[in-house]
Amino acid sequence: MQQAASEIPFLAPVPERERLDWLRLIRSRRVGPATFHRLLAEHGTATAALEALPAIAGAAGIDGYEACPIPVALKELAAGRARGASLLCWSDPAYPPALREIPDAPPVLWVQGDAALLARPMVALVGARNASSLGLRMARKLATAMGEAGYVVVSGLARGIDTEAHLAALDRGTVAVQAGGVEVIYPSENATLAGQIAAVGCRISEQPMGLVPQARHFPLRNRIVSGLAKAVVVVEAAARSGSLITAREALDQGREVFAVPGHPFDPRAAGCNQLIRDGAMLVRHAADIIDAIGSVRPGASVPRTDPVPDPPRRPLYEIAAVHNLILERLGPVPVPEDQLIRDLSLPAGRVAQELVTLELDGRIQRDPGGLVSRPV
């Protein structure tokens, strides 16, 4: 259960003169979020914790320990100011209340954009990077509906489902949690989207300014995505994926977990189907989520519309002809999907539908950057 603001120790704006010590403490070697909170509880202030660190390290058998140097922290603060980012500390009243309650809450967050969004109720939408066209459409519909119900949509700025969720929620509120520095855009193809979010939404990161994300940073990012949210909705996910890590973090944090079911033969649905088997709530439309967690806006309603049925299938000989046209134009060298569609002079929706079929049959493969090719 979330504590009231007045019941949380140290809940007061961190004085400017102490913000440097907060940053130095969390950037010090071997000090992670859990250690930071323990040191703060034991010593009362970050300044006192920094003074105690060498003795604590020495007792643990680490000789010559030094905390993060003052110039290093000052350089990071200057970099943040230069980028228009603000530093939010865990005990600041403006710190996201839902995130504050998790045991390993980030001691500091770099924030770009509208920090007021962090105080509003959020729902996380996450999923596959190589999402299907149906998965992308579902992400758009859910993000739009949850925004209309009063929720801020939070995601991880990845390609695929994350991108569609952010785009659909831009005009109602969206928060992007980044794995690297708040000014380091990954993937680079989302640079325009990141700029839009900074202008009308909010981007946050616990990492130092300028840090380029590595694989180990993404699970850390995922715990923030789920920690911010009242519920996590997984739209598409493979059996082993970052989205499932987010779902597990959500369960550990006491959040609701929802999943959109998919076809058993589609590997992008394996993770969602597994979550539903293990107890996640099945999502057919946004009303399923609203029924479970409620609406933020009094009187807001979400249409209970079943997914639009697929159009009738064409005769098999027509499908086979399109498949042959696609396969004739593909080889082992990846080509852009949009270029393939232009070359075929067929409706984009028609080609996209058959590309999904060919991919599920293992006759083509999708590569990063919207490229397709034939397996060797």
Side-chain angles (χ1 to χ4, degrees), residues 153-289:
V153 173
V154 57
S155 199
L157 199 60
R159 62 173 60 95
I161 297 299
D162 290 23
T163 295
E164 292 301 315
H166 286 308
L167 283 169
L170 270 175
D171 60 343
R172 294 178 177 86
T174 188
V175 172
V177 185
Q178 297 174 227
V182 74
E183 89 286 23
V184 178
I185 309 305
Y186 182 89
S188 58
E189 67 200 57
N190 273 350
T192 299
L193 173 59
Q196 293 173 319
I197 295 173
V200 299
C202 184
R203 301 205 322 255
I204 66 172
S205 174
E206 68 174 330
Q207 299 296 345
M209 299 292 297
L211 183 135
V212 176
Q214 305 296 320
R216 67 180 184 276
H217 298 126
F218 290 93
L220 297 174
R221 184 272 312 272
N222 293 345
R223 90 185 193 286
I224 300 177
V225 171
S226 57
L228 286 166
K230 186 173 184 178
V232 171
V233 184
V234 185
V235 179
E236 281 187 336
R240 293 183 178 179
S241 67
S243 299
L244 293 193
I245 294 175
T246 307
R248 287 195 293 270
E249 291 283 359
L251 291 171
D252 290 342
Q253 295 164 351
R255 288 6 179 196
E256 301 282 2
V257 175
F258 298 82
V260 176
H263 196 287
F265 289 167
D266 188 344
R268 289 168 297 200
C272 288
N273 293 339
Q274 177 183 320
L275 286 171
I276 294 169
R277 181 200 65 190
D278 294 341
M281 284 177 271
L282 184 148
V283 174
R284 300 162 299 170
H285 34 59
D288 290 329
I289 307 170

Side-chain angles (χ1 to χ4, degrees), residues 1-266:
M1 179 180 296
Q2 184 174 336
Q3 291 176 286
S6 60
E7 297 173 352
I8 299 177
F10 314 109
L11 185 55
V14 177
E16 286 301 319
R17 64 181 182 278
E18 292 185 20
R19 299 179 95 74
L20 177 65
D21 287 339
W22 274 66
L23 191 58
R24 288 184 62 208
L25 183 58
I26 189 56
R27 301 294 186 241
S28 293
R29 187 163 49 102
R30 299 198 179 192
V31 177
T35 301
F36 179 100
H37 291 300
R38 179 175 57 82
L39 290 171
L40 197 63
E42 291 176 354
H43 298 278
T45 66
T47 305
L50 283 169
E51 293 173 354
L53 263 182
I56 295 172
I62 304 172
D63 296 328
Y65 182 91
E66 293 184 4
C68 173
I70 292 176
V72 171
L74 286 173
K75 183 179 179 180
E76 182 175 346
L77 287 173
R81 285 194 296 269
R83 289 288 187 154
S86 57
L87 187 70
L88 198 57
C89 295
W90 177 87
S91 70
D92 291 337
Y95 190 95
L99 185 62
R100 183 186 283 118
E101 69 183 20
I102 70 173
D104 54 350
V108 300
L109 290 171
W110 280 110
V111 180
Q112 280 189 328
D114 185 4
L117 290 174
L118 300 174
R120 289 174 50 190
M122 300 187 209
V123 167
L125 262 66
V126 298
R129 288 174 169 81
N130 64 330
S132 69
S133 58
L134 285 176
L136 296 175
R137 187 170 74 175
M138 188 64 166
R140 288 193 295 270
K141 290 174 71 70
L142 291 177
T144 300
M146 297 312 297
E148 291 172 350
Y151 285 96
V152 171
V153 173
V154 57
S155 199
L157 199 60
R159 62 173 60 95
I161 297 299
D162 290 23
T163 295
E164 292 301 315
H166 286 308
L167 283 169
L170 270 175
D171 60 343
R172 294 178 177 86
T174 188
V175 172
V177 185
Q178 297 174 227
V182 74
E183 89 286 23
V184 178
I185 309 305
Y186 182 89
S188 58
E189 67 200 57
N190 273 350
T192 299
L193 173 59
Q196 293 173 319
I197 295 173
V200 299
C202 184
R203 301 205 322 255
I204 66 172
S205 174
E206 68 174 330
Q207 299 296 345
M209 299 292 297
L211 183 135
V212 176
Q214 305 296 320
R216 67 180 184 276
H217 298 126
F218 290 93
L220 297 174
R221 184 272 312 272
N222 293 345
R223 90 185 193 286
I224 300 177
V225 171
S226 57
L228 286 166
K230 186 173 184 178
V232 171
V233 184
V234 185
V235 179
E236 281 187 336
R240 293 183 178 179
S241 67
S243 299
L244 293 193
I245 294 175
T246 307
R248 287 195 293 270
E249 291 283 359
L251 291 171
D252 290 342
Q253 295 164 351
R255 288 6 179 196
E256 301 282 2
V257 175
F258 298 82
V260 176
H263 196 287
F265 289 167
D266 188 344

